[in-house]
Amino acid sequence: MEETTSVSYNQNYSGSPITNIPQDYIFTIILLLPIDAILSLSVTCKRFKAITSSDTLWKSLCKRDLGSTCVDSLLKSCNNFNQFSWMKLYKQVYQIDSVCCHKLSYPHGDLDFPKARASHSLNFVSDCLVLFGGGCDGGRHLDDTWVAYIGNDFPRILKWKTVHSGIPSGRFGHTCVEMGDLLVLFGGINDHGNRQNDTWIGKVTHNENKGITFSWKMLDVGNIAPPPRGAHAACCIDDKRMVIHGGIGLHGLRLGDTWILELSDSHCFGTWHEIAIHPSPPPRSGHTLTCIGRNRTILFGGRGLGYEVLHDLWLLESCQGYMRWIQVLYDLQNIPDGVSLPRVGHTATMVLGGRLLIYGGEDSSRHRKNDFWILDISSFPSTTASSKRVLTRIWKRWKSNGYEPKSRSFHRACVDPSGRHLYVFGGMVDGLVQAVEPSGLGFDKELFLVELVLQL
Amino acid sequence: MAEEKSQASSSKMLTLKASDGVLFEVELNIAKEMKTVQAYIDDCEDIETIPIPNVLGKHLAIVIEYIKKTNEEYDAEFEKQWNMDDLQLLLLAANYLNISGLQECLCKAIAKRIENKSPEYVRKVFNIENDHSPEEEAKLRKEYKWAFEGVDKD
């Protein structure tokens, strides 16, 4: 065997191998690092500072951490391109610690708007807000569908249009989930107390005469469907599958089952199957399920079997081809104001910067809330990490500026593609319906906007 | 000597010669995972020994082992065994030999080693000289403070 004395890998080998690694690899490695590690790298030497200051790199980081849809939307809203820097934008998004609320008013005159209600569904799909059903005073159900075109910016004055559909039948406590351009509606309770288990697909359509409208179609799911229920939670897993959990079933029993709906490519058929896995979140109602990206979903709160109001967090994810629930443990005592976390009838929506924004709901004494909490998704355990990791810094309470909304529960909320605008409608609020009944509650019909403020 | 590649190709053996002269006999289908070697074979059908002038025997051995055993579990354990110098040299080897899976695995490994570490640690690990002036460095640290609030002290 010949021995060569040379250990050089190319003519210019000198000092550290890292200086010989092609630039492309450096970028690949950087894109795998969390932000603080990237900035630490920048401090090491001039060469790395130059590499990590590239605005193209920061645009990729924005896409990585904020999502492409959001980045596209931010680009559209940008006013001043000369001063625009992706690094500055990333920093701004990272540092958001409050929201600004705006009341969205209705024009005077004869334009309709939806009446006060709770436990309805509110979604943002195809540039429109879509509202369906819900319960109103007297315990009656509603069966109306409303659409309002929003487009790219948030309007101060909204124009709602009612859709005379006749279907689905009236109900409240149903779920309605965005899947691409579609809405998938499931279950709910009507005012005779009957729980439903039918599945509907809805779509925004453009009609020559009527302009923008909405159409519903019942989904053919064959013989297998989850037991009827209302006040369950649902969200999409990916663009073909939806998951539901729990709710209140027949005879008022709280359920703890998990079911997955898989849509056919044509969207005309669907298949339900139950996933019976252990451990899994205990039975409950009025909780939330939210898709947090990469086929993972988060479950939070609700009211359990013993009527207690919960604050546990569960993650549903795919691991080596099968689904599993992991409880994300945290210590309530270590969180400032943590005592106000447990809730039912709240909303949980993914907003800008990989955060889950939780708003409203009520506690075990039926006190309604109007606080905003953020769950930091980026610090979540991945599939390879131990499932019993206890996280202490995942919850943060945010301030709210601008308009102060009334405390509410069983309202609904949805976010636009930019991730900066959360629309909230209705719910049950402490009513001043009659001055003689201070503890009376009322159904609300207010629509307001929660904005994550960015200077663009 | 020159067998038809079709039927017998999976059992045909090839010799790879590292930069320090170490020889490795590998099956053709293993060697083909290295796209650089594949290109060599495509050009000269009769070849029996292929020179790999840019890679030391020590690293070529690791690369061949990786190709034979790679799967999710193996990859997770693989990256823990090597020091930073070896990781970087392996990355250069994987780049030269053009093995995509290994390149990804090594990038992830290097990234993992410098996560949650101070600039001082990273300088040591990469063997980099600090050419920032003290004022420049202080300015940068101050400018970057926003990303470090709430991060665990190591």
Side-chain angles (χ1 to χ4, degrees), chain A residues 1-4 6-10 13 15-22 25 28-29 32-37 39-49 52-53 58 87 90-91 94-95 320 393, chain B residues 17 19-23 54-56 59 72 85 88-89 91-92 95 103 107-108 110-111 114-117 119 122-123 126-132 136-137 140-141 143-144 146-148 150-152:
Chain A
M1 264 198 285
E2 289 162 34
E3 287 254 61
T4 59
S6 160
V7 252
S8 62
Y9 279 41
N10 58 47
Y13 183 74
S16 149
I18 195 77
T19 53
N20 291 316
I21 291 183
Y25 284 128
T28 307
I29 293 171
L32 292 168
L33 292 169
I35 295 300
D36 54 307
L39 297 177
S40 285
L41 201 56
S42 176
V43 173
T44 58
C45 66
K46 287 196 202 286
R47 180 169 179 251
F48 275 126
K49 171 163 189 299
T52 56
S53 301
W58 284 92
M87 185 172 174
Y90 193 104
K91 177 178 173 182
Y94 192 95
Q95 290 187 299
Q320 288 166 353
R393 252 185 312 273
Chain B
K17 182 171 169 181
S19 63
D20 49 359
V22 182
L23 297 171
N54 286 12
V55 185
L56 279 174
H59 294 124
E72 223 174 278
D85 275 346
Q88 292 170 85
L89 292 171
L91 184 55
L92 284 171
N95 173 46
Q103 292 170 66
C107 283
K108 280 193 197 151
I110 295 176
I114 59 171
E115 258 177 42
N116 287 330
K117 297 284 190 267
V122 176
R123 281 187 199 122
F126 279 152
N127 201 7
I128 305 170
E129 210 185 286
N130 181 6
D131 54 354
H132 286 307
E136 274 170 1
E137 187 175 328
L140 284 178
R141 284 179 188 262
E143 222 176 278
Y144 296 155
W146 59 270
F148 290 87
V151 169
D152 272 331

Side-chain angles (χ1 to χ4, degrees), chain A residues 303 307-309 342-344 362-367 369:
Chain A
R303 192 188 292 283
Y307 224 62
E308 73 283 16
V309 172
R343 59 192 63 204
V344 58
E362 54 185 66
D363 64 14
S364 47
S365 322
R366 292 196 170 270
H367 287 143
K369 302 164 176 292

Side-chain angles (χ1 to χ4, degrees), chain A residues 53-277:
Chain A
S53 301
S54 142
D55 216 40
T56 320
L57 172 69
W58 284 92
K59 184 174 181 184
S60 299
L61 287 170
C62 284
K63 283 198 179 164
R64 180 191 81 177
D65 296 347
L66 308 179
S68 293
T69 324
C70 177
V71 163
D72 290 338
S73 162
L74 285 170
L75 266 173
K76 276 193 209 140
S77 319
C78 176
N79 295 320
N80 190 351
F81 255 116
N82 294 334
Q83 309 234 349
F84 189 81
S85 132
W86 287 104
M87 185 172 174
K88 280 204 196 120
L89 179 73
Y90 193 104
K91 177 178 173 182
Q92 242 202 89
V93 170
Y94 192 95
Q95 290 187 299
I96 298 177
D97 64 351
S98 62
V99 292
C100 188
C101 296
H102 308 268
K103 197 169 150 125
L104 292 176
S105 55
Y106 298 123
H108 298 296
D110 41 36
L111 282 171
D112 286 326
F113 52 87
K115 70 185 277 189
R117 64 192 71 203
S119 297
H120 47 286
S121 58
L122 182 74
N123 297 98
F124 197 102
V125 67
S126 304
D127 290 335
C128 297
L129 273 184
V130 179
L131 181 133
F132 173 76
C136 60
D137 40 339
R140 287 170 310 182
H141 66 234
L142 295 160
D143 64 355
D144 45 351
T145 304
W146 295 78
V147 194
Y149 177 76
I150 303 272
N152 285 323
D153 308 302
F154 68 84
R156 298 268 166 188
I157 297 177
L158 222 76
K159 295 200 178 116
W160 283 107
K161 238 176 84 177
T162 186
V163 174
H164 302 287
S165 176
I167 50 169
S169 58
R171 63 192 70 201
F172 49 87
H174 53 284
T175 51
C176 195
V177 157
E178 293 109 342
M179 279 220 265
D181 284 336
L182 302 175
L183 291 185
V184 183
L185 185 150
F186 174 75
I189 308 175
N190 69 15
D191 51 24
H192 297 301
N194 294 333
R195 275 90 183 168
Q196 323 280 2
N197 68 345
D198 46 351
T199 314
W200 296 79
I201 302 280
K203 210 171 149 96
V204 168
T205 52
H206 295 263
N207 184 298
E208 253 180 54
N209 300 325
K210 300 193 226 161
I212 290 207
T213 185
F214 198 82
S215 64
W216 291 103
K217 193 174 76 172
M218 190 185 270
L219 186 70
D220 179 353
V221 298
N223 292 329
I224 300 179
R229 66 193 69 205
H232 51 286
C235 72
C236 70
I237 299 176
D238 53 34
D239 55 6
K240 277 273 159 341
R241 294 178 297 164
M242 176 176 88
V243 57
I244 68 158
H245 175 275
I248 303 178
L250 291 174
H251 313 302
L253 200 64
R254 280 184 172 76
L255 305 166
D257 49 352
T258 310
W259 287 76
I260 303 225
L261 172 73
E262 186 147 0
L263 278 190
S264 69
D265 287 333
S266 62
H267 305 143
C268 299
F269 304 100
T271 324
W272 281 105
H273 68 273
E274 183 176 5
I275 34 173
I277 42 179

Side-chain angles (χ1 to χ4, degrees), chain B residues 50-74:
Chain B
I50 296 177
I52 313 280
N54 286 12
V55 185
L56 279 174
K58 154 184 176 185
H59 294 124
L60 192 54
I62 298 170
V63 167
I64 292 169
E65 176 98 354
Y66 175 89
I67 297 173
K68 285 185 185 162
K69 293 198 180 158
T70 177
N71 63 37
E72 223 174 278
E73 243 181 81
Y74 181 80

Side-chain angles (χ1 to χ4, degrees), chain B residues 5-151:
Chain B
K5 285 193 183 147
S6 44
Q7 270 97 25
S9 52
S10 58
S11 57
K12 180 173 174 188
M13 301 300 275
L14 214 61
T15 305
L16 302 176
K17 182 171 169 181
S19 63
D20 49 359
V22 182
L23 297 171
F24 296 90
E25 223 190 346
V26 293
E27 288 170 355
L28 187 62
N29 59 338
I30 301 286
K32 278 176 163 195
E33 290 296 313
M34 311 179 203
K35 299 203 183 66
T36 308
V37 171
Q38 170 76 72
Y40 216 107
I41 299 171
D42 287 342
D43 277 345
C44 340
E45 270 186 27
D46 281 358
I47 198 76
E48 278 179 7
T49 304
I50 296 177
I52 313 280
N54 286 12
V55 185
L56 279 174
K58 154 184 176 185
H59 294 124
L60 192 54
I62 298 170
V63 167
I64 292 169
E65 176 98 354
Y66 175 89
I67 297 173
K68 285 185 185 162
K69 293 198 180 158
T70 177
N71 63 37
E72 223 174 278
E73 243 181 81
Y74 181 80
D75 287 9
E77 288 306 310
F78 173 79
E79 54 100 352
K80 292 184 192 161
Q81 303 171 52
W82 318 112
N83 66 33
M84 185 52 90
D85 275 346
D86 280 328
L87 281 180
Q88 292 170 85
L89 292 171
L90 284 168
L91 184 55
L92 284 171
N95 173 46
Y96 173 72
L97 293 167
N98 201 348
I99 311 165
S100 44
L102 181 57
Q103 292 170 66
E104 267 174 50
C105 178
L106 291 166
C107 283
K108 280 193 197 151
I110 295 176
K112 219 161 151 190
R113 299 275 174 106
I114 59 171
E115 258 177 42
N116 287 330
K117 297 284 190 267
S118 65
E120 290 79 13
Y121 182 94
V122 176
R123 281 187 199 122
K124 242 194 305 182
V125 139
F126 279 152
N127 201 7
I128 305 170
E129 210 185 286
N130 181 6
D131 54 354
H132 286 307
S133 75
E135 297 80 29
E136 274 170 1
E137 187 175 328
K139 184 167 169 247
L140 284 178
R141 284 179 188 262
K142 194 163 164 216
E143 222 176 278
Y144 296 155
K145 221 166 129 210
W146 59 270
F148 290 87
E149 266 129 41
V151 169

